[in-house]
Amino acid sequence: MGKHQLLKNQNFIFVGNQPWDVPIGSNCKNIAEVVAKDNTVLYVNRPLDRITKLKNDEKDREFIERRLSVLEGKSEPITHIKDGLYTLDPAVLMESINWLPDGAIYDWALKSISKKFFAEIRKAAAKMGFEDYYFFNDSEMFQGFLAPELLESKLNIYYSRDNLTSTGYFKKHGLRLEPQLLKKYDLAVANSLYLKDYCAEHNPNSYYVGQGCDLSIFDPTLNHAEPAEFANIPHPRIGYIGALLKLRLDLKLLEDLAENRKDWSFVYVGPEDEHFKASKLHQMENVYFLGPKKPEELGQYLSAFDLAMNPQELNEMTIGNYPRKIDEYLAMGKPTLATPTRAMEVFKDHVYLADGADGYEKAIELAFQENDEAKQAERIRFAQSHSWENSVNEIYRAILANDKNQ
Protein backbone atom coordinates (compact mmCIF):
# COMPACT_ATOMS: atom_id res chain seq x y z
CA MET A 1 0.00 0.00 0.00
CA GLY A 2 1.33 3.46 -0.90
CA LYS A 3 2.44 6.19 1.41
CA HIS A 4 -0.95 7.90 1.60
CA GLN A 5 -3.47 5.37 0.28
CA LEU A 6 -5.17 4.05 3.43
CA LEU A 7 -8.13 6.21 2.50
CA LYS A 8 -8.89 6.99 -1.14
CA ASN A 9 -11.67 8.70 -3.07
CA GLN A 10 -13.23 10.15 0.07
CA ASN A 11 -14.44 13.69 0.79
CA PHE A 12 -13.08 15.83 3.63
CA ILE A 13 -14.11 19.22 5.01
CA PHE A 14 -11.35 20.98 6.96
CA VAL A 15 -11.88 23.79 9.46
CA GLY A 16 -9.05 25.37 11.46
CA ASN A 17 -7.48 28.51 12.87
CA GLN A 18 -5.20 29.06 9.87
CA PRO A 19 -6.79 30.34 6.62
CA TRP A 20 -5.30 28.97 3.40
CA ASP A 21 -4.66 32.44 2.00
CA VAL A 22 -2.44 33.62 4.86
CA PRO A 23 1.16 32.77 3.87
CA ILE A 24 2.12 31.14 7.17
CA GLY A 25 2.59 27.39 7.30
CA SER A 26 0.43 25.28 9.57
CA ASN A 27 -0.17 21.66 10.45
CA CYS A 28 -3.71 21.90 9.10
CA LYS A 29 -2.54 23.07 5.67
CA ASN A 30 0.17 20.39 5.50
CA ILE A 31 -2.30 17.66 6.43
CA ALA A 32 -4.87 18.91 3.92
CA GLU A 33 -2.31 18.81 1.10
CA VAL A 34 -1.44 15.18 1.82
CA VAL A 35 -5.09 14.13 2.21
CA ALA A 36 -5.91 15.84 -1.11
CA LYS A 37 -3.45 13.61 -2.99
CA ASP A 38 -5.93 10.72 -2.87
CA ASN A 39 -9.16 12.41 -1.77
CA THR A 40 -11.13 15.64 -2.23
CA VAL A 41 -10.63 18.34 0.41
CA LEU A 42 -12.76 21.44 0.95
CA TYR A 43 -10.65 23.70 3.19
CA VAL A 44 -12.80 26.30 4.96
CA ASN A 45 -11.10 29.67 5.43
CA ARG A 46 -11.72 31.78 8.50
CA PRO A 47 -14.54 34.22 7.65
CA LEU A 48 -14.24 37.96 8.00
CA ASP A 49 -15.21 39.22 11.46
CA ARG A 50 -16.73 42.62 12.16
CA ILE A 51 -13.80 43.97 14.21
CA THR A 52 -11.25 43.12 11.49
CA LYS A 53 -13.53 44.79 8.93
CA LEU A 54 -13.86 47.95 11.03
CA LYS A 55 -10.12 48.17 11.79
CA ASN A 56 -9.33 47.76 8.07
CA ASP A 57 -5.62 47.30 8.88
CA GLU A 58 -3.30 47.55 5.88
CA LYS A 59 -1.66 44.21 6.66
CA ASP A 60 -5.10 42.54 6.48
CA ARG A 61 -6.19 44.35 3.31
CA GLU A 62 -5.98 41.37 0.93
CA PHE A 63 -7.70 39.10 3.47
CA ILE A 64 -10.53 41.65 3.93
CA GLU A 65 -11.01 42.43 0.24
CA ARG A 66 -11.27 38.77 -0.76
CA ARG A 67 -13.97 38.09 1.86
CA LEU A 68 -15.89 41.28 1.15
CA SER A 69 -15.94 40.33 -2.53
CA VAL A 70 -17.58 37.01 -1.63
CA LEU A 71 -20.01 38.67 0.79
CA GLU A 72 -21.07 41.14 -1.92
CA GLY A 73 -21.55 38.36 -4.46
CA LYS A 74 -18.72 39.56 -6.72
CA SER A 75 -16.58 36.41 -6.29
CA GLU A 76 -17.33 32.71 -6.08
CA PRO A 77 -16.86 31.37 -2.53
CA ILE A 78 -15.20 28.12 -3.72
CA THR A 79 -11.70 28.31 -5.21
CA HIS A 80 -9.84 25.42 -6.88
CA ILE A 81 -6.27 25.40 -5.52
CA LYS A 82 -4.89 22.20 -7.10
CA ASP A 83 -6.04 18.68 -7.92
CA GLY A 84 -8.18 17.46 -5.03
CA LEU A 85 -7.93 20.68 -3.01
CA TYR A 86 -10.50 23.50 -2.84
CA THR A 87 -11.01 26.39 -0.44
CA LEU A 88 -14.26 27.93 0.77
CA ASP A 89 -14.74 31.54 1.85
CA PRO A 90 -18.07 31.40 3.70
CA ALA A 91 -20.33 34.32 2.81
CA VAL A 92 -20.86 35.36 6.42
CA LEU A 93 -19.68 38.28 8.53
CA MET A 94 -18.77 36.87 11.92
CA GLU A 95 -19.54 38.81 15.09
CA SER A 96 -16.69 39.12 17.58
CA ILE A 97 -18.04 37.54 20.77
CA ASN A 98 -14.97 36.52 22.77
CA TRP A 99 -15.47 39.57 25.03
CA LEU A 100 -18.81 38.18 26.29
CA PRO A 101 -18.87 36.60 29.76
CA ASP A 102 -18.50 32.83 29.70
CA GLY A 103 -21.80 31.01 30.00
CA ALA A 104 -25.33 31.12 28.63
CA ILE A 105 -25.10 34.47 26.80
CA TYR A 106 -21.91 33.43 25.01
CA ASP A 107 -23.41 30.06 24.11
CA TRP A 108 -26.51 31.73 22.61
CA ALA A 109 -24.32 34.06 20.50
CA LEU A 110 -22.07 31.18 19.39
CA LYS A 111 -25.09 29.13 18.32
CA SER A 112 -26.49 32.05 16.32
CA ILE A 113 -23.17 32.56 14.49
CA SER A 114 -22.59 28.83 13.99
CA LYS A 115 -25.94 28.32 12.24
CA LYS A 116 -24.91 30.82 9.53
CA PHE A 117 -21.36 29.44 9.31
CA PHE A 118 -22.39 25.80 8.90
CA ALA A 119 -25.23 26.70 6.51
CA GLU A 120 -22.55 28.04 4.15
CA ILE A 121 -20.51 24.86 4.56
CA ARG A 122 -23.53 22.65 3.84
CA LYS A 123 -24.32 24.73 0.74
CA ALA A 124 -20.72 24.38 -0.50
CA ALA A 125 -20.66 20.63 0.21
CA ALA A 126 -23.79 20.21 -1.92
CA LYS A 127 -22.26 22.28 -4.73
CA MET A 128 -19.12 20.09 -4.57
CA GLY A 129 -21.31 16.99 -4.90
CA PHE A 130 -20.32 15.64 -1.48
CA GLU A 131 -22.88 12.93 -0.72
CA ASP A 132 -20.92 12.13 2.43
CA TYR A 133 -17.75 13.49 4.01
CA TYR A 134 -15.45 13.49 7.03
CA PHE A 135 -15.21 16.68 9.09
CA PHE A 136 -11.66 17.49 10.29
CA ASN A 137 -11.39 20.25 12.90
CA ASP A 138 -7.90 21.64 13.60
CA SER A 139 -8.26 22.96 17.17
CA GLU A 140 -11.14 25.31 16.26
CA MET A 141 -12.93 24.82 19.56
CA PHE A 142 -15.40 27.68 19.01
CA GLN A 143 -16.44 27.73 15.33
CA GLY A 144 -16.24 23.93 15.25
CA PHE A 145 -18.13 23.37 18.51
CA LEU A 146 -21.57 22.70 17.00
CA ALA A 147 -20.41 20.62 14.02
CA PRO A 148 -22.02 17.38 15.33
CA GLU A 149 -25.39 19.17 15.56
CA LEU A 150 -25.19 21.24 12.36
CA LEU A 151 -23.38 18.96 9.87
CA GLU A 152 -24.25 15.49 8.63
CA SER A 153 -20.69 14.21 8.43
CA LYS A 154 -19.60 10.57 8.50
CA LEU A 155 -17.26 11.31 11.41
CA ASN A 156 -16.24 14.41 13.34
CA ILE A 157 -12.47 14.41 13.98
CA TYR A 158 -10.84 16.87 16.39
CA TYR A 159 -7.11 17.55 15.91
CA SER A 160 -5.20 18.82 18.96
CA ARG A 161 -1.71 20.18 18.23
CA ASP A 162 -1.12 22.87 20.88
CA ASN A 163 -2.14 23.44 24.48
CA LEU A 164 -4.22 26.41 23.32
CA THR A 165 -6.29 26.79 26.48
CA SER A 166 -3.13 27.93 28.28
CA THR A 167 -3.31 31.19 26.29
CA GLY A 168 -5.55 34.17 27.05
CA TYR A 169 -7.84 34.18 24.02
CA PHE A 170 -8.65 30.45 24.16
CA LYS A 171 -8.61 30.11 27.96
CA LYS A 172 -11.65 32.34 28.63
CA HIS A 173 -14.21 30.08 26.93
CA GLY A 174 -12.06 27.12 25.86
CA LEU A 175 -11.48 25.71 29.34
CA ARG A 176 -15.20 25.00 29.48
CA LEU A 177 -16.01 24.34 25.82
CA GLU A 178 -13.10 22.19 24.60
CA PRO A 179 -13.83 19.28 26.99
CA GLN A 180 -17.52 19.43 25.92
CA LEU A 181 -16.49 19.42 22.25
CA LEU A 182 -14.23 16.41 22.77
CA LYS A 183 -17.10 14.45 24.33
CA LYS A 184 -19.34 15.19 21.32
CA TYR A 185 -16.84 14.38 18.55
CA ASP A 186 -16.38 10.82 17.27
CA LEU A 187 -12.63 10.81 17.81
CA ALA A 188 -9.64 12.99 18.61
CA VAL A 189 -6.12 12.86 17.19
CA ALA A 190 -3.13 14.66 18.68
CA ASN A 191 0.45 15.42 17.66
CA SER A 192 1.92 14.90 21.14
CA LEU A 193 1.50 12.24 23.83
CA TYR A 194 0.58 14.91 26.38
CA LEU A 195 -2.26 16.22 24.23
CA LYS A 196 -3.43 12.69 23.44
CA ASP A 197 -3.66 12.03 27.19
CA TYR A 198 -5.61 15.26 27.65
CA CYS A 199 -8.06 14.37 24.85
CA ALA A 200 -8.47 10.86 26.27
CA GLU A 201 -9.74 12.33 29.56
CA HIS A 202 -12.84 13.44 27.62
CA ASN A 203 -12.98 11.07 24.65
CA PRO A 204 -11.84 7.41 24.83
CA ASN A 205 -11.30 7.39 21.05
CA SER A 206 -8.14 9.51 21.23
CA TYR A 207 -4.98 8.73 19.27
CA TYR A 208 -1.39 9.91 19.03
CA VAL A 209 -0.63 10.53 15.33
CA GLY A 210 2.81 12.12 15.52
CA GLN A 211 3.99 15.25 13.78
CA GLY A 212 4.98 15.79 10.20
CA CYS A 213 8.00 17.95 9.43
CA ASP A 214 9.47 19.50 6.32
CA LEU A 215 13.14 18.63 6.72
CA SER A 216 14.27 19.64 3.23
CA ILE A 217 16.56 22.44 4.49
CA PHE A 218 17.98 20.15 7.19
CA ASP A 219 19.53 17.68 4.78
CA PRO A 220 22.90 16.33 5.97
CA THR A 221 23.84 15.29 2.41
CA LEU A 222 23.92 18.91 1.27
CA ASN A 223 27.12 20.94 1.34
CA HIS A 224 26.27 23.39 4.14
CA ALA A 225 28.87 26.15 3.95
CA GLU A 226 29.81 27.35 7.42
CA PRO A 227 28.50 30.91 8.02
CA ALA A 228 31.15 33.58 8.45
CA GLU A 229 30.01 34.35 12.03
CA PHE A 230 31.49 31.04 13.20
CA ALA A 231 35.07 31.95 12.18
CA ASN A 232 35.89 33.12 15.73
CA ILE A 233 33.68 30.72 17.69
CA PRO A 234 35.76 27.89 19.19
CA HIS A 235 34.66 24.27 19.39
CA PRO A 236 32.81 22.60 21.01
CA ARG A 237 29.78 24.62 19.93
CA ILE A 238 26.49 24.00 21.73
CA GLY A 239 23.59 25.68 19.97
CA TYR A 240 19.93 26.53 19.94
CA ILE A 241 17.84 27.69 16.96
CA GLY A 242 14.52 29.44 17.50
CA ALA A 243 12.87 32.35 19.29
CA LEU A 244 14.65 33.16 22.56
CA LEU A 245 11.70 33.65 24.92
CA LYS A 246 11.77 33.37 28.71
CA LEU A 247 8.25 31.95 28.53
CA ARG A 248 9.61 28.95 26.61
CA LEU A 249 13.28 28.60 27.63
CA ASP A 250 14.93 28.08 31.04
CA LEU A 251 17.04 31.24 31.17
CA LYS A 252 18.61 30.52 34.57
CA LEU A 253 19.71 27.06 33.41
CA LEU A 254 21.44 28.64 30.41
CA GLU A 255 23.16 31.30 32.53
CA ASP A 256 24.40 28.72 35.05
CA LEU A 257 25.56 26.33 32.33
CA ALA A 258 27.57 29.01 30.50
CA GLU A 259 29.05 30.18 33.81
CA ASN A 260 30.08 26.64 34.79
CA ARG A 261 31.63 25.70 31.45
CA LYS A 262 33.64 28.57 30.07
CA ASP A 263 35.49 26.07 27.85
CA TRP A 264 32.32 25.51 25.81
CA SER A 265 30.84 27.93 23.26
CA PHE A 266 27.09 28.55 23.46
CA VAL A 267 25.52 29.79 20.23
CA TYR A 268 21.99 31.19 19.90
CA VAL A 269 20.31 31.75 16.53
CA GLY A 270 17.00 33.63 16.67
CA PRO A 271 15.25 36.77 17.90
CA GLU A 272 15.43 37.65 21.62
CA ASP A 273 12.76 38.92 24.00
CA GLU A 274 13.54 41.62 26.59
CA HIS A 275 14.49 39.05 29.24
CA PHE A 276 17.18 37.49 27.05
CA LYS A 277 18.47 40.90 25.95
CA ALA A 278 18.92 41.88 29.61
CA SER A 279 20.39 38.54 30.73
CA LYS A 280 23.89 37.82 32.05
CA LEU A 281 24.50 35.76 28.93
CA HIS A 282 25.39 38.93 27.03
CA GLN A 283 28.30 39.61 29.38
CA MET A 284 29.85 36.15 28.93
CA GLU A 285 32.71 35.72 26.47
CA ASN A 286 31.72 32.13 25.62
CA VAL A 287 28.15 33.03 24.58
CA TYR A 288 27.31 34.17 21.05
CA PHE A 289 24.03 35.68 19.84
CA LEU A 290 23.80 35.55 16.04
CA GLY A 291 20.28 36.99 15.67
CA PRO A 292 17.40 35.84 13.46
CA LYS A 293 18.14 34.22 10.10
CA LYS A 294 16.15 33.38 7.00
CA PRO A 295 14.50 29.93 7.20
CA GLU A 296 16.48 28.65 4.21
CA GLU A 297 19.76 29.50 6.03
CA LEU A 298 19.06 27.52 9.19
CA GLY A 299 20.54 24.27 7.88
CA GLN A 300 23.91 26.01 7.50
CA TYR A 301 23.82 27.29 11.07
CA LEU A 302 22.75 23.97 12.54
CA SER A 303 25.49 22.22 10.56
CA ALA A 304 28.09 24.36 12.39
CA PHE A 305 26.94 23.14 15.84
CA ASP A 306 28.61 20.22 17.62
CA LEU A 307 25.51 19.65 19.75
CA ALA A 308 22.00 21.12 19.67
CA MET A 309 19.68 21.67 22.62
CA ASN A 310 16.12 22.60 23.58
CA PRO A 311 16.26 23.79 27.22
CA GLN A 312 12.54 24.28 27.79
CA GLU A 313 10.98 26.16 30.66
CA LEU A 314 8.24 23.86 31.93
CA ASN A 315 4.86 25.57 32.07
CA GLU A 316 1.33 25.30 30.67
CA MET A 317 2.49 26.67 27.32
CA THR A 318 5.38 24.25 26.72
CA ILE A 319 4.58 21.05 28.55
CA GLY A 320 2.38 19.47 25.90
CA ASN A 321 3.70 20.83 22.62
CA TYR A 322 5.44 18.67 20.07
CA PRO A 323 9.06 19.94 19.81
CA ARG A 324 9.48 20.17 16.04
CA LYS A 325 12.98 21.61 16.37
CA ILE A 326 14.11 18.26 17.85
CA ASP A 327 13.34 16.59 14.51
CA GLU A 328 15.31 19.33 12.73
CA TYR A 329 18.32 18.78 15.01
CA LEU A 330 18.19 15.00 14.60
CA ALA A 331 17.73 15.27 10.83
CA MET A 332 21.24 16.72 10.66
CA GLY A 333 22.59 13.88 12.80
CA LYS A 334 23.44 16.20 15.69
CA PRO A 335 23.75 14.98 19.28
CA THR A 336 20.66 16.53 20.86
CA LEU A 337 19.81 17.45 24.45
CA ALA A 338 16.45 18.50 25.88
CA THR A 339 14.48 18.85 29.08
CA PRO A 340 12.20 15.84 29.69
CA THR A 341 8.46 16.29 29.10
CA ARG A 342 5.65 13.86 28.22
CA ALA A 343 6.00 14.96 24.58
CA MET A 344 9.74 14.15 24.66
CA GLU A 345 9.12 10.49 25.57
CA VAL A 346 8.80 9.74 21.84
CA PHE A 347 12.44 10.83 21.42
CA LYS A 348 13.95 9.20 24.53
CA ASP A 349 16.00 6.64 22.57
CA HIS A 350 17.56 9.31 20.35
CA VAL A 351 17.89 12.41 22.56
CA TYR A 352 19.73 13.03 25.84
CA LEU A 353 17.23 14.19 28.48
CA ALA A 354 18.36 16.18 31.51
CA ASP A 355 17.23 18.67 34.17
CA GLY A 356 19.10 21.70 35.50
CA ALA A 357 22.56 23.02 34.71
CA ASP A 358 24.38 20.09 36.37
CA GLY A 359 22.25 17.56 34.51
CA TYR A 360 22.83 19.36 31.23
CA GLU A 361 26.58 19.49 31.80
CA LYS A 362 26.82 15.74 32.45
CA ALA A 363 24.56 14.93 29.49
CA ILE A 364 26.64 17.09 27.13
CA GLU A 365 29.85 15.37 28.21
CA LEU A 366 28.24 11.95 27.68
CA ALA A 367 26.87 12.98 24.27
CA PHE A 368 30.31 14.03 23.07
CA GLN A 369 31.85 10.77 24.34
CA GLU A 370 29.26 8.55 22.66
CA ASN A 371 28.87 10.38 19.35
CA ASP A 372 29.79 8.26 16.33
CA GLU A 373 28.67 7.67 12.75
CA ALA A 374 26.23 4.91 13.70
CA LYS A 375 24.43 7.16 16.18
CA GLN A 376 24.34 9.99 13.65
CA ALA A 377 22.78 7.72 11.02
CA GLU A 378 20.15 6.46 13.48
CA ARG A 379 19.19 10.03 14.44
CA ILE A 380 18.74 10.94 10.78
CA ARG A 381 16.66 7.83 10.09
CA PHE A 382 14.39 8.51 13.05
CA ALA A 383 13.80 12.17 12.13
CA GLN A 384 12.99 11.25 8.55
CA SER A 385 10.28 8.87 9.77
CA HIS A 386 8.34 11.95 10.95
CA SER A 387 6.91 12.82 7.56
CA TRP A 388 3.50 14.34 6.88
CA GLU A 389 2.58 11.18 4.94
CA ASN A 390 3.26 9.02 8.01
CA SER A 391 1.28 11.35 10.28
CA VAL A 392 -1.68 11.39 7.88
CA ASN A 393 -1.60 7.60 7.68
CA GLU A 394 -1.96 7.49 11.48
CA ILE A 395 -4.96 9.82 11.18
CA TYR A 396 -6.42 7.47 8.56
CA ARG A 397 -5.94 4.48 10.88
CA ALA A 398 -7.79 6.32 13.65
CA ILE A 399 -10.61 7.16 11.23
CA LEU A 400 -10.87 3.58 9.99
CA ALA A 401 -10.97 2.27 13.57
CA ASN A 402 -14.06 4.39 14.21
CA ASP A 403 -15.87 4.35 10.86
CA LYS A 404 -18.28 1.42 10.89
CA ASN A 405 -19.04 1.94 7.18
CA GLN A 406 -15.45 1.37 6.01
Side-chain angles (χ1 to χ4, degrees), residues 101-112 145-146 176-177 180:
D102 192 41
I105 295 174
Y106 176 86
D107 291 351
W108 174 85
L110 180 63
K111 186 173 183 178
S112 176
F145 185 75
L146 290 170
R176 177 176 64 91
L177 290 184
Q180 292 182 32

Side-chain angles (χ1 to χ4, degrees), residues 278-325:
S279 74
K280 293 189 295 185
L281 293 170
H282 279 275
Q283 278 71 58
M284 299 182 184
E285 292 184 358
N286 61 326
V287 178
Y288 304 83
F289 288 90
L290 305 187
K293 305 299 173 187
K294 296 176 183 176
E296 61 269 22
E297 297 175 334
L298 296 180
Q300 292 175 268
Y301 283 82
L302 179 53
S303 182
F305 294 172
D306 296 306
L307 178 143
M309 62 178 175
N310 190 33
Q312 282 192 305
E313 179 76 25
L314 297 183
N315 54 41
E316 279 188 313
M317 177 73 74
T318 63
I319 194 166
N321 290 355
Y322 185 97
R324 194 183 304 199
K325 69 174 73 273

Side-chain angles (χ1 to χ4, degrees), residues 237-302:
R237 299 162 178 167
I238 298 154
Y240 170 87
I241 294 177
L244 298 157
L245 309 173
K246 188 176 185 295
L247 179 66
R248 292 185 175 274
L249 298 177
D250 189 336
L251 183 53
K252 186 177 187 308
L253 181 158
L254 297 176
E255 289 175 340
D256 291 347
L257 186 59
E259 182 69 37
N260 294 346
R261 294 305 300 254
K262 291 185 168 58
D263 55 325
W264 292 345
S265 297
F266 295 89
V267 184
Y268 298 101
V269 177
E272 301 174 70
D273 68 6
E274 296 306 312
H275 297 283
F276 267 83
K277 288 177 181 176
S279 74
K280 293 189 295 185
L281 293 170
H282 279 275
Q283 278 71 58
M284 299 182 184
E285 292 184 358
N286 61 326
V287 178
Y288 304 83
F289 288 90
L290 305 187
K293 305 299 173 187
K294 296 176 183 176
E296 61 269 22
E297 297 175 334
L298 296 180
Q300 292 175 268
Y301 283 82
L302 179 53

